Amino acid sequence: MSSFTTPVFITPCQHLSIFSAVGADTRAFLQSQLTQDVSLISPSQAAMAGFCTAQGRLWATMLLTPTDQEQQIHGVIAADLMESLLKRLRMFVLRSKVTLGPVPDLQVLGIEVAAADFDVLSSTLEVTLPGAIWQAQMTSCGTWIQVPSANENCRLRLLALTTARQAEQIVDQLGENGKVLTDVNAWKAQDVQAGMAWVEASTQDLFIAQTLNLDLIGGVSFTKGCYPGQEVIARAHYRGTVKRRMHVATIVSPTEVEMKAGMDVFDASDPDNPVGRLINVANTVTKTDEGPVTIWVLFEAPFKSIETASLRVGSSEGPLLTMQPMPYDIAPT
């Protein structure tokens, strides 16, 4: 058996939770509510999606995943949205034959493996793993989905939806080749670097899908039928009026500073009017006794602000945002 070149990192993603939609009308119901074409979800395919208000603002972003039941779909969401999301979705069930609820018996693991070790990981776990982004694979040790990486030529990322026993099985089979990380910020930072946003409780009902680049990572279908907020999202798409996008940046500070999703972003030359907001924050990614704290953030702002401004968080004199490259093109068309 081939050996691993580097450890496989395993991160329990306690900031994410799983809900279930099950019943004869599951697909039709979700198709009528979400930005994604739910017919794409299959035993080998997962996809991002959004759930919007009638005004087109995102109530939640989610990763839709298959299960071993044709009439059931799972959704991975920010954990602090579970109660509000299910309450709002249930308002629209009416006579549809679908039951919505949390799945407390499943957890989400973030798995990071060197690209060169991908086949070794599959053989070690004795399963077939998804070989492309958004592909899914149901295995004896959970449902696995490959998710974007900032640099997929070096490291690949997978989410595994597992029971506690399956999680133990993964750790046991990897042995000394696996390293369990207790700090989820490293995984969050990779979501940031990959341009993969999660709506949280503090950013609920603030952004349209295009603002969070959901359309650029395949989370919006412009050919499916209607859903709440569809007119707003379609109008921005077809009229080319997307003037705000999500961007990646770092904040470097000599001491730890508290950054939270939803905080305002200011142009230093205009202290009275915020130009954007933080979307996701990975708070304590890099810290040494000698070096500074580095915080990775996703934030949204108009293109014109990105081109001309010195952007700061919290106030016009707050921590400076240093722009970082996006892993995909966000240039206005």
Side-chain angles (χ1 to χ4, degrees):
M1 179 183 296
S2 301
S3 59
F4 288 88
T5 60
T6 62
V8 176
F9 296 118
I10 305 164
T11 305
C13 295
Q14 297 176 350
H15 65 298
L16 300 175
S17 293
I18 303 164
F19 74 89
S20 168
V22 61
D25 295 333
T26 290
R27 289 180 178 269
F29 172 74
L30 293 179
Q31 185 79 336
S32 70
Q33 298 300 319
L34 305 182
T35 61
Q36 184 59 268
D37 183 353
V38 179
S39 67
L40 297 176
I41 308 304
S42 72
S44 61
Q45 189 67 41
M48 291 297 292
F51 176 52
C52 302
T53 67
Q55 292 73 38
R57 297 186 180 276
L58 286 163
W59 196 257
T61 50
M62 64 193 71
L63 175 62
L64 300 176
T65 73
T67 74
D68 57 5
Q69 301 180 44
E70 170 61 24
Q71 296 182 350
Q72 182 182 46
I73 288 177
H74 282 161
V76 180
I77 60 170
D80 62 2
L81 292 185
M82 181 65 74
E83 183 177 353
S84 65
L85 173 64
L86 293 180
K87 181 178 180 180
R88 192 172 183 90
L89 275 174
R90 286 170 180 150
M91 292 169 56
F92 302 100
V93 169
L94 301 178
R95 296 182 180 178
S96 296
K97 296 177 181 178
V98 58
T99 301
L100 301 161
V103 188
D105 293 338
L106 291 181
Q107 60 184 295
V108 182
L109 298 180
I111 312 291
E112 183 192 355
V113 60
D117 294 336
F118 183 78
D119 291 339
V120 183
L121 177 61
S122 291
S123 61
T124 300
L125 297 179
E126 300 179 331
V127 296
T128 299
L129 295 176
I133 294 172
W134 305 128
Q135 282 189 0
Q137 191 72 42
M138 289 179 283
T139 76
S140 60
C141 54
T143 299
W144 293 63
I145 304 96
Q146 187 172 149
V147 296
S149 302
N151 187 347
E152 61 191 59
N153 293 324
C154 297
R155 305 285 291 183
L156 299 177
R157 300 198 310 145
L158 303 109
L159 286 178
L161 280 56
T162 72
T163 63
R165 181 67 192 93
Q166 289 171 328
E168 292 174 1
Q169 174 188 343
I170 293 169
V171 173
D172 290 345
Q173 287 183 268
L174 286 173
E176 63 182 13
N177 295 304
K179 183 177 180 181
V180 178
L181 304 180
T182 57
D183 185 358
V184 76
N185 277 295
W187 182 266
K188 287 184 176 181
Q190 291 185 69
D191 274 351
V192 169
Q193 293 164 40
M196 184 176 171
W198 297 92
V199 170
E200 305 173 21
S202 58
T203 57
Q204 208 170 37
D205 198 17
L206 292 180
F207 311 115
I208 68 168
Q210 286 97 328
T211 305
L212 298 197
N213 302 350
L214 192 62
D215 56 323
L216 302 182
I217 61 172
V220 180
S221 171
F222 293 102
T223 58
K224 59 167 281 183
C226 294
Y227 56 88
Q230 184 261 346
E231 291 185 4
V232 175
I233 294 169
R235 187 182 308 120
H237 174 72
Y238 289 112
R239 293 185 180 180
T241 56
V242 181
K243 300 183 184 299
R244 310 175 71 89
R245 283 288 188 182
M246 182 175 71
H247 309 270
V248 178
T250 53
I251 299 167
V252 179
S253 172
T255 59
E256 293 192 34
V257 292
E258 186 175 16
M259 294 286 111
K260 294 183 178 180
M263 289 181 68
D264 287 333
V265 172
F266 288 82
D267 178 339
S269 65
D270 185 8
D272 297 325
N273 299 299
V275 297
R277 287 188 179 93
L278 297 187
I279 299 165
N280 291 140
V281 176
N283 255 318
T284 55
V285 177
T286 303
K287 178 71 173 72
T288 65
D289 292 338
E290 298 79 19
V293 176
T294 300
I295 301 170
W296 285 87
V297 301
L298 288 171
F299 74 100
E300 59 86 26
F303 285 106
K304 62 180 182 180
S305 295
I306 298 300
E307 295 170 356
T308 63
S310 171
L311 298 178
R312 296 180 177 272
V313 181
S315 73
S316 61
E317 298 179 350
L320 177 69
L321 289 173
T322 300
M323 300 298 297
Q324 302 296 332
M326 290 291 294
Y328 47 78
D329 185 20
I330 61 170
T333 56

